[in-house]
Structure formats: C-alpha cells, structure tokens
Amino acid sequence: SNAWVGYGVVMIAVGEADLLNISVLPAFQRQGIGTAFLQHLMARAKARQATRMLLEVRATNQAALALYAHQGFIE
C-alpha cells in the first residue's frame, strides 16, 4: 500500500522560490527523506528558472538547520 511519510511545499515566482514547508513523520526522519524532498523542490524551482530559494526556520530547529546548511543554504 502507498502511505504518505511527509510532504514539501514551495512557491515559485519571478526567479525566486520560497520554501514554505518540509515535514517528515517522526518514524521516518533521519533516513534521507527530508533531503530528498528538499533536493526535488530545489530542482523543480531551478527548472522554472528560479535563481534562488529563500526559507525561514526556527533557530531552535537544529535538524532543519543542519539539513539546510548541508544543502548549501546560508543565513
């Protein structure tokens, strides 16, 4: 059976992408799924001529901060 383990949402407009949310169920975290979602969303944005991606993340969300830093995002 097919089951959802997470999702990702990005808004793309005029050369810029805004990452709105990435979420993975706790039981499936730390398995590369969030990274796969992010890489997919980045590729989709690039295919639509977005030259940069912006996002907001809580300073206390260490897992998200590590994910974004590993993918080249800067503060």
Side-chain angles (χ1 to χ4, degrees):
S1 74
N2 292 330
W4 291 90
V5 299
Y7 65 92
V9 181
V10 67
M11 180 175 60
I12 305 164
V14 193
E16 185 173 283
D18 288 307
L19 180 62
L20 302 177
N21 203 336
I22 290 180
S23 182
V24 177
L25 290 173
F28 294 91
Q29 292 175 358
R30 311 275 316 150
Q31 297 179 35
I33 296 168
T35 298
F37 280 155
L38 180 56
Q39 289 174 343
H40 176 76
L41 293 173
M42 290 168 60
R44 298 288 294 186
K46 185 176 181 179
R48 287 173 173 73
Q49 284 72 51
T51 57
R52 68 181 188 162
M53 181 177 277
L54 305 173
L55 60 91
E56 292 184 20
V57 62
R58 287 188 197 109
T60 58
N61 189 341
Q62 294 301 313
L65 290 169
L67 168 66
Y68 300 134
H70 189 260
Q71 293 302 310
F73 285 82
I74 56 173
E75 191 172 337

